[in-house]
Amino acid sequence: MENFVFCSPTNFIFGRGTENQVGKLCKENGATRVLIVYGGGSVVRSGLLDRVRTALTDENMPFGELGGVKPNPEDDLVRIGIEMVHAENFDFILPVGGGSTIDTAKAIAAGALYDGDFWDFYTGKATVQKALPVGVVLTIPAAGSEGSGNTVITNIATKQKISLRCPEHLRPQFSILNPELTFTLPAYQTASGICDMMVHIFERYFTNTTETGITDRIAEGVLLSIMEEAPKVIANPSDYDARANIMWAGMLAHNGICGTGRVEDWASHFMEHELSSLYGVTHGAGLAVVFPAWLTVVSRINPHRAKQLALRVLHVSAEGKTDEEIIAEGIARLRQFWHSLGLPITLKELGIENPDIDALVRNLHITKGEPIGNYVKLDRSLTKEIYEEAR
Ligand code: NZQ
Ligand code: ZN
């Protein structure tokens, strides 16, 4: 096991009606002027935004609003948010929505206290030294941004989608998780979120670090639970307990607990970010295509974790089978599971008939360098092979 520091200081407030506590929580966390950030309108239609406004008003908390965050959020809205903070002296950022909204809020929180352009943090030109506090009202279990110190933003001019990791300054102060808020999710978003959280665990599970049995078993337990609960939420979107289990799993998948003591991989995420940057696809659906292709290629080179996953999580029986057969059956079962949730498993099914694989590979290595990943170090020829496998 590697040395590690694990700090997950976010206060999670979980359950029915918890969004009504948001005014009190902002106050307790030192807010005096709150900037609410939200997406394309789901929180308006559901009435959630009104309830958040009421909860703030009840605490005499002044607030402003910035709506219009798009899925795969873009840099221009972050700049507008930073200007609003400067003009109106907001000292607390409150995203009400999913990963795209939370990530925009984190970018505003860091960028507002920086003299240069916030994009410097994403290119590595500058590191985040301080950020305004962020509190979250979550509406979709998926990205795990409610418990992570990460934010992912797309720069429209450079066509780069880049993730920034800064747990010291970007973990939310609090995250409100009410499973009822997820009842209105379209099935495709529910399924994409489920895939995203599973891959957050896989990125940590595929490691060459040995003797991390406790982290393995936590990861396997969360994966098994997600696979048990997922069909229930697809069949009955208003199943509170299934939604609750999935919502908590999404947080556990990405707050770091499933990765302690080991080197993590993240190549599949980097490869998917190129897909969502070039083709605008939903992140979790892109992962349903990329991850099995990645696993197919890397397990030919480094099979041991793929075999363990197949046996312990994907219910493959080892009897009478070679390692190659066990792994192939595991990958087939994973694809079948995601397909059963309504997800695409090829680029074609994702709506990309003629992928520009050369552009994907070029952009990937311009942004992320070469090689990428850790479980198997991927050079250009291997990333090309993975995108080809995903066709
Ligand atoms: O914009 P609105 O109208 O709110 O609609 C959203 C959006 O269209 C809708 N939605 C969300 N909650 C809903 C709802 N519709 C009905 N009822 C509800 N309760 O769902 C759509 C997707 O929302 P989005 O915020 O984009 O989803 P998600 O949480 O999957 O976030 C995806 C983004 O997070 C990044 C991804 O790359 C992508 O840009 N990631 C962020 C991470 C992090 N910060 O730690 C890690 C992840 O690996 C990921 O890369
Ligand atoms: Zn993800």
Side-chain angles (χ1 to χ4, degrees):
M1 195 189 284
E2 304 277 336
N3 289 3
F4 68 88
V5 173
F6 177 66
C7 178
S8 180
T10 305
N11 188 14
F12 296 100
I13 299 96
F14 194 99
R16 292 183 173 95
T18 44
E19 66 273 19
N20 299 323
Q21 299 174 34
V22 71
K24 199 168 134 274
L25 285 160
C26 286
K27 199 174 244 183
E28 283 170 7
N29 282 277
T32 65
R33 285 177 71 78
V34 171
L35 177 62
I36 301 174
V37 181
Y38 64 94
S42 71
V43 299
V44 178
R45 289 189 296 278
S46 67
L48 174 61
L49 185 61
D50 270 342
R51 295 206 293 286
V52 168
R53 287 174 180 143
T54 302
L56 291 170
T57 306
D58 286 350
E59 294 293 329
N60 299 313
M61 180 67 71
F63 61 88
E65 294 178 12
L66 173 66
V69 177
K70 296 178 190 161
N72 302 320
E74 298 171 357
D75 58 325
D76 53 355
L77 204 74
V78 175
R79 292 199 176 84
I80 293 171
I82 291 169
E83 278 171 25
M84 286 176 74
V85 170
H86 291 164
E88 298 177 54
N89 294 320
F90 296 112
D91 56 13
F92 196 94
I93 316 294
L94 180 67
V96 181
S100 298
T101 297
I102 304 168
D103 288 1
T104 299
K106 289 177 178 175
I108 294 169
L113 300 188
Y114 174 60
D115 284 340
D117 181 13
F118 88 97
W119 189 247
D120 292 349
F121 297 136
Y122 292 77
T123 57
K125 194 173 153 195
T127 50
V128 178
Q129 301 297 331
K130 51 189 172 175
L132 291 174
V134 172
V136 169
V137 182
L138 184 68
T139 62
I140 170 171
S145 191
E146 69 277 15
S148 83
N150 300 12
T151 149
V152 190
I153 300 290
T154 299
N155 185 311
I156 291 305
T158 64
K159 293 191 166 40
Q160 285 173 302
K161 180 173 181 177
I162 304 184
S163 101
L164 163 69
R165 187 162 191 266
C166 182
E168 302 81 7
H169 300 292
L170 294 181
R171 290 213 202 239
Q173 307 293 304
F174 66 81
S175 285
I176 292 174
L177 278 62
N178 175 358
E180 285 180 332
L181 301 179
T182 70
F183 289 180
T184 52
L185 274 169
Y188 188 69
Q189 289 298 337
T190 297
S192 297
I194 286 164
C195 181
D196 191 16
M197 62 182 77
M198 289 178 72
V199 180
H200 291 161
I201 302 174
F202 293 149
E203 298 283 13
R204 296 169 163 102
Y205 193 77
F206 281 85
T207 182
N208 296 312
T209 311
T210 57
E211 309 304 328
T212 57
I214 180 70
T215 310
D216 272 7
R217 290 304 191 180
I218 292 170
E220 288 160 2
V222 181
L223 283 167
L224 285 164
S225 307
I226 293 170
M227 292 180 76
E228 267 171 37
E229 302 297 328
K232 298 184 201 166
V233 294
I234 296 294
N236 178 7
S238 306
D239 180 335
Y240 179 85
D241 290 312
R243 286 283 194 191
N245 278 292
I246 288 291
M247 197 167 206
W248 191 232
M251 202 296 294
L252 292 170
H254 198 42
N255 82 331
I257 191 79
C258 292
T260 46
R262 65 200 23 212
V263 176
E264 302 178 0
D265 189 76
W266 296 99
S268 303
H269 263 70
F270 296 160
M271 294 188 70
E272 193 295 316
H273 285 166
E274 294 308 325
L275 274 186
S276 43
S277 170
L278 200 59
Y279 298 106
V281 299
T282 298
H283 170 63
L287 288 170
V289 174
V290 169
F291 181 76
W294 173 87
L295 188 52
T296 304
V297 172
V298 301
S299 58
R300 285 185 205 130
I301 301 164
N302 189 359
H304 72 291
R305 302 292 288 185
K307 182 181 171 190
Q308 182 172 313
L309 181 80
L311 295 176
R312 292 191 185 176
V313 177
L314 299 165
H315 307 296
V316 177
S317 147
E319 218 176 295
K321 291 174 198 150
T322 63
D323 284 359
E324 289 74 23
E325 287 167 341
I326 292 168
I327 291 166
E329 192 177 328
I331 296 169
R333 281 177 182 238
L334 184 62
R335 282 194 165 121
Q336 199 179 30
F337 175 70
W338 284 338
H339 229 194
S340 75
L341 302 181
L343 289 168
I345 53 165
T346 61
L347 287 170
K348 198 172 174 191
E349 287 180 4
L350 192 57
I352 307 170
E353 288 274 346
N354 295 304
D356 187 344
I357 288 179
D358 287 338
L360 288 166
V361 171
R362 193 173 51 246
N363 296 348
L364 172 69
H365 292 289
I366 287 173
T367 307
K368 290 295 168 196
E370 191 176 352
I372 64 158
N374 289 306
Y375 180 65
V376 171
K377 304 255 181 218
L378 303 175
D379 61 13
R380 272 160 209 261
S381 70
L382 284 170
T383 53
K384 184 168 183 173
E385 194 179 331
I386 293 167
Y387 282 127
E388 291 288 355
E389 170 71 29
R391 275 180 188 275

